[in-house]
Amino acid sequence: MRRIIRNVRVMDPSDGFDAIADLAIVAGKIAIRGAVAEDFQADEILDGAGLVACPGLIESSLQAHTPGHGRDGDLASELQAAVAGGVTQVVLRPDTQPVADTPAVLQEQQLLAEKLALARVQVSAALTTGLRGQALSEMTALMDAGARVFSQAKQPVHSAALLRLALSYAADLGLPVMLHPEDPELAAHGVMNESGLSLRLGLPGRTAVAEQVGIQRDIAIAALSGCPLFFPHLSTGGAVAAVKAARKRGEAVRCGVSIHHLLLSEQDVGFFNVHAKLLPPLRSLAERNALRRAVADGDVTAISSDHSPWGVDRESMTFIQAPFGISGVEWLLPLTLRLVDDGLLGLMAALRLLSTGPAQALGLPLPSLQVGSVADLCLFDPEAVFTLNPASGASRGRNLPYAQWDLRGRVRYTLVEGRVVFRA
Amino acid sequence: MSLSTFRFGDGNPQYDAQGRLRHLLNTEGLREPEMLQILDTAESFLSIAQRSVKKTPTLRGKTIVNLFFENSTRTRSTFELAAKRLSADVLNIAVSTSSTSKGESLIDTVDNLMAMQVDGFVIRHPEAGAAHLIARHLGDSALVINAGDGQHAHPTQALLDVFTIRRLAGPIEDRVVAIVGDVLHSRVARSQIHALSILGCPEIRVIGPQTLVPKELSALGVHVYHDLQAGLRGVDVICALRLQKERMESHRLPSLDEFHRRFGLTPERLQWAQPDALVLHPGPMNRGVEIASEVADGHQAVILQQVAHGLAVRMAVLTLLAGAAGGGENHA
């Protein structure tokens, strides 16, 4: 299959290329980036006028509930949502049912992903069996079964001693480890940020200090073995500062922030809005602004949607019972463009945080539109404004607090290895 | 380009789209005239209670469901009596809390009752926000009164407390009120704070150990004290709170005796407040823990009047909400 995209604004964070150009894709790879001759033979020519072409986005944390019971979505529905959002590569969260701590689970996920042929799927394996933090998982077997990263999903490892052993063992294998840094006893059973607001609502609070204590511990322990760490979802300026300080010391630590923590705050909980229930919780406006500054200053490597769909039967739960999470992968790009509109970032920097950034953090090959690169790309119309209707999404999850928001930026085509996996 | 940012969390479901009060979920956000209307209506019901025929036909033909997911004697029975004195039919349903987590969802329970054509719900639930969830679900189709949701709100208790203060201690806008005890876990305290603020109380104090009275409470516009003597100085009204025994298990207190030693209300300590300061307690009391028997049974305590006032206030709330739902003849 040969494809040409004509007159598109190519924005490639891998080398900073930003110009109106043509792209030719041959055998799943970028063959030409520049001017493509008129007589170049192609099976399809896409008109890129008014569109931006960038490397496909990478979602570093996607809960697909596969394996799982299917009520809250499955790999098919959630990968469909991903490609509709211009995402060409996802890392599956290991907190599935059962947990991704055996080769069989990883194989099932990969076989299914191959059959679906939508976004590229990287499987993560649980760092500890059952994510319980009591015993090391069979990391070599899991790596051989395809794991590209070890993860604790949203579970902190309670025992510092066990974390030390797990990170030392993982360091031998050279794969990065994703951690949820939080002191579990300080965090207790909090369901929202601990503050005057949680006191007002009578909801158990989760103190920001729990994250700061947790991340100091995790960073110090990782430094003992040099295990590369990635904290995909920090919620406090203090935690990002801890990562920055560790990087200054030369430690292999990176962090990401969910787009929700950059757009929303605890105020969005309002009167028990379950769609604003996140882990880590949405914090104060001051923390949100500290995170925004950190993103603008380049202290954050990746932005994620922390995609966590849940089905409509969870809508009738009280705030305390409702599960954590927002279903957002499909809207990751337009939500992130809000940061551009707010003057926080240039468009190129925003695209970097969604593509090359997560790849760096996860140790994946850097996505690129340079000649010879795998043709994973996203074409979007940066001027298309639409009003978000959660029911229009491909995801099974309708749980997002952005209903009726006006967003800018619509994905028109998503290509994975040169194949069009989504068009609108 | 300016793009809209619609924040769902802003909506207070106790008002309908026209801004009319349709449910009573909390005292927070109530407008002062609405609160005064409830209190004034309660005054008239108080006098009805003195008559030999205590019933009025206000809610004839209406059905009110007392849906209680938590034990209650006082609140449930006063709501039942309030509805019956207004000539409503009353359905009492006590649901064991364990069944909600595995069986029927809260919304399904409510929908099943709605299929029986009921007109209103009085709901108590162990989780904050439960009444909001139901009110949001029902919208205008039935009224919802929050009779206590977790640690969040207990608006009718707060209303009967300000009613009591107004009747027995005089105008709230020049009374200093102290709330003593486990504010952190108290839905009563939260609703009291909002009610008092709305009625213009010039100074609201909360008093207790930091483990039960965190400094962040000042976000609610109250003065935080961790010393009883300092906190009671010059106070006109003291609202004691019930101390739950579970607080010992969660290590928020060393012991009940230790709490009494620091914060128990005794006749000697009452002297730190204004002479004849009023003492309120929402019940049930732990005698010898948050309140000494000499105080509970003393002339400054108005705990039994609170119960009588509770009946009148609940009749007023039912009347006003049912009147608003029935076309607004009582809403003016």
Side-chain angles (χ1 to χ4, degrees):
Chain A
M1 192 82 176
R2 293 156 69 90
R3 262 196 192 86
I4 304 175
I5 305 161
R6 294 258 181 221
N7 296 317
V8 71
R9 180 177 175 193
V10 177
M11 296 191 75
D12 187 351
S14 76
D15 64 349
F17 184 89
D18 180 2
I20 306 282
D22 303 331
L23 291 171
I25 298 163
V26 177
K29 293 202 162 143
I30 306 283
I32 302 169
R33 184 181 78 177
V36 176
E38 283 301 320
D39 58 355
F40 188 92
Q41 288 299 306
D43 304 289
E44 186 179 22
I45 300 173
L46 304 177
D47 179 13
L51 304 183
V52 171
C54 65
L57 314 186
I58 299 180
E59 173 50 71
S60 59
S61 173
L62 182 122
Q63 172 58 279
H65 299 296
T66 300
H69 51 58
R71 288 193 297 276
D72 300 318
D74 51 31
L75 200 59
S77 64
E78 302 320 305
L79 286 184
Q80 198 68 58
V83 296
V87 173
T88 57
Q89 188 160 207
V90 304
V91 177
L92 298 185
R93 251 166 61 179
D95 50 342
T96 45
Q97 283 181 338
V99 167
D101 60 359
T102 57
V105 170
L106 302 190
Q107 280 150 7
E108 180 195 339
Q109 291 172 332
Q110 291 169 104
L111 275 174
L112 199 56
E114 210 170 300
K115 227 163 60 189
L116 290 165
L118 292 164
R120 218 175 274 285
V121 165
Q122 303 296 350
V123 290
S124 70
L127 182 70
T128 60
T129 50
L131 297 167
R132 284 186 297 271
Q134 291 164 355
L136 308 195
S137 63
E138 291 180 327
M139 291 187 224
T140 318
L142 290 162
M143 190 170 77
D144 291 346
R148 294 301 300 265
V149 55
F150 296 110
S151 166
Q152 273 294 116
K154 304 282 184 175
Q155 297 288 330
V157 177
H158 201 293
S159 155
L162 190 98
L163 180 67
R164 179 183 180 181
L165 297 174
L167 294 184
S168 305
Y169 195 84
D172 293 344
L173 305 180
L175 293 188
V177 173
M178 290 164 90
L179 292 178
H180 172 71
E182 204 175 29
D183 183 296
E185 283 173 11
L186 276 173
H189 302 294
V191 295
M192 69 171 293
N193 185 41
E194 180 182 301
S195 68
L197 192 64
S198 67
L199 282 172
R200 203 193 88 206
L201 292 172
L203 290 171
R206 214 173 174 102
T207 173
V209 171
E211 179 173 283
Q212 281 149 26
V213 169
I215 201 160
Q216 295 290 0
R217 183 197 77 159
D218 292 359
I219 288 175
I221 289 174
L224 293 173
S225 59
C227 178
L229 284 191
F230 176 43
F231 299 105
H233 307 123
L234 297 185
S235 66
T236 61
V240 177
V243 170
K244 187 183 181 180
R247 288 180 60 74
K248 233 179 216 159
R249 295 192 298 268
E251 294 163 23
V253 185
R254 289 182 185 272
C255 67
V257 177
S258 92
I259 185 61
H260 318 300
H261 286 87
L262 296 168
L263 296 178
L264 309 173
S265 76
E266 59 178 355
Q267 299 296 333
D268 287 282
V269 173
F271 291 94
F272 305 100
N273 178 7
V274 292
H275 293 165
K277 182 177 175 184
L278 287 184
L279 190 63
L282 294 168
R283 303 286 185 191
S284 64
L285 268 179
E287 289 289 7
R288 187 197 75 163
N289 294 339
L291 291 178
R292 288 168 77 104
R293 268 196 308 280
V295 166
D297 294 348
D299 299 332
V300 169
T301 305
I303 291 178
S304 148
S305 74
D306 193 7
H307 184 71
S308 313
W310 36 272
V312 283
D313 53 341
R314 313 270 178 113
E315 300 275 329
S316 55
M317 291 181 165
T318 61
F319 195 91
I320 290 174
Q321 289 168 10
F324 291 101
I326 287 177
S327 169
V329 70
E330 197 164 344
W331 322 105
L332 175 60
L333 177 65
L335 289 169
T336 304
L337 292 186
R338 276 285 176 121
L339 305 179
V340 177
D341 286 344
D342 291 347
L344 210 68
L345 290 172
L347 183 54
M348 185 69 87
L351 296 176
R352 182 177 303 124
L353 286 161
L354 297 174
S355 58
T356 49
Q360 276 171 323
L362 294 159
L364 299 171
L366 282 197
S368 158
L369 298 181
Q370 295 176 52
V371 172
S373 307
V374 177
D376 287 1
L377 62 151
C378 158
L379 270 77
F380 65 97
D381 179 350
E383 300 307 328
V385 172
F386 64 101
T387 304
L388 199 155
N389 170 15
S392 73
S395 166
R396 194 76 48 81
R398 297 284 182 259
N399 51 308
L400 64 168
Y402 303 109
Q404 298 178 42
W405 279 41
D406 286 337
L407 296 179
R408 187 172 72 84
R410 263 229 120 130
V411 175
R412 297 296 182 208
Y413 299 94
T414 305
L415 283 77
V416 172
E417 215 166 348
R419 281 177 301 112
V420 176
V421 292
F422 173 79
R423 65 173 89 210
Chain B
M1 182 175 1
S2 159
L3 301 175
S4 85
T5 302
F6 185 86
R7 296 198 188 261
F8 170 75
D10 287 347
N12 182 346
Q14 73 184 351
Y15 290 98
D16 66 12
Q18 285 72 44
R20 281 173 302 196
L21 187 69
R22 276 301 159 93
H23 311 288
L24 181 68
L25 305 179
N26 195 0
T27 46
E28 180 185 11
L30 276 185
R31 304 181 188 102
E32 189 180 11
E34 285 162 349
M35 202 180 286
L36 291 173
Q37 193 188 7
I38 294 171
L39 300 180
D40 293 343
T41 309
E43 289 282 353
S44 65
F45 283 124
L46 207 55
S47 56
I48 290 180
Q50 314 301 323
R51 295 192 213 145
S52 59
V53 178
K54 298 182 170 66
K55 273 201 168 188
T56 76
T58 320
L59 296 189
R60 186 180 293 149
K62 306 257 190 201
T63 307
I64 303 294
V65 181
N66 273 330
L67 186 55
F68 276 58
F69 294 85
E70 225 180 50
N71 291 332
S72 160
T73 318
R74 209 173 327 255
T75 305
R76 198 192 55 73
S77 51
T78 47
F79 262 115
E80 181 176 355
L81 203 51
K84 283 181 170 164
R85 290 213 172 147
L86 295 168
S87 308
D89 295 317
V90 181
L91 192 58
N92 285 314
I93 300 179
V95 189
S96 84
T97 47
S98 60
S99 69
T100 53
S101 54
K102 28 189 156 154
E104 194 172 53
S105 85
L106 189 52
I107 296 291
D108 286 338
T109 306
V110 166
D111 282 345
N112 275 281
L113 290 161
M114 281 303 287
M116 303 171 201
Q117 312 296 328
V118 304
D119 301 285
F121 292 89
V122 174
I123 171 159
R124 169 169 289 192
H125 196 277
E127 289 179 21
H132 283 69
L133 182 70
I134 292 172
R136 208 170 260 143
H137 176 69
L138 291 175
D140 275 355
S141 53
L143 64 90
V144 176
I145 298 173
N146 183 5
D149 62 327
Q151 295 162 7
H152 173 235
H154 193 352
T156 56
Q157 176 70 45
L159 288 168
L160 76 89
D161 291 336
V162 293
F163 183 82
T164 303
I165 296 169
R166 206 171 75 139
R167 268 184 81 83
L168 304 178
I172 283 173
E173 57 266 29
D174 46 46
R175 293 291 179 271
V176 176
V177 179
I179 302 170
V180 187
D182 182 5
V183 178
L184 179 62
H185 299 95
S186 173
R187 55 191 172 210
V188 173
R190 283 176 177 76
S191 288
Q192 284 173 334
I193 290 168
H194 294 301
L196 289 164
S197 310
I198 290 163
L199 294 176
C201 179
E203 190 174 339
I204 307 167
R205 302 179 185 175
V206 291
I207 310 172
Q210 245 190 83
T211 48
L212 299 176
V213 178
K215 292 186 190 317
E216 291 80 7
L217 277 168
S218 59
L220 301 183
V222 298
H223 301 266
V224 177
Y225 288 83
H226 304 302
D227 176 78
L228 187 65
Q229 185 165 9
L232 287 185
R233 195 170 297 135
V235 155
D236 301 295
V237 177
I238 303 165
C239 301
L241 297 173
R242 176 178 167 77
L243 187 76
Q244 308 277 349
K245 299 240 165 38
E246 297 92 283
R247 305 305 161 229
M248 258 46 67
E249 287 146 32
S250 58
H251 308 292
R252 289 182 182 271
L253 287 174
S255 70
L256 293 175
D257 288 343
E258 170 98 2
F259 180 82
H260 186 72
R261 182 182 289 269
R262 274 182 78 187
F263 296 102
L265 293 175
T266 61
E268 302 72 43
R269 288 163 173 183
L270 278 196
Q271 320 240 330
W272 295 336
Q274 288 288 350
D276 292 323
L278 224 52
V279 177
L280 287 80
H281 192 296
M285 287 185 283
N286 294 304
R287 288 170 180 264
V289 182
E290 70 265 13
I291 191 164
S293 277
E294 295 87 331
V295 174
D297 302 328
H299 73 281
Q300 287 170 264
V302 293
I303 296 160
L304 295 178
Q305 278 115 304
Q306 284 175 272
V307 179
H309 295 165
L311 183 58
V313 163
R314 284 165 184 139
M315 286 173 79
V317 169
L318 280 167
T319 301
L320 294 170
L321 290 179
E329 71 268 7
N330 280 306
H331 186 71

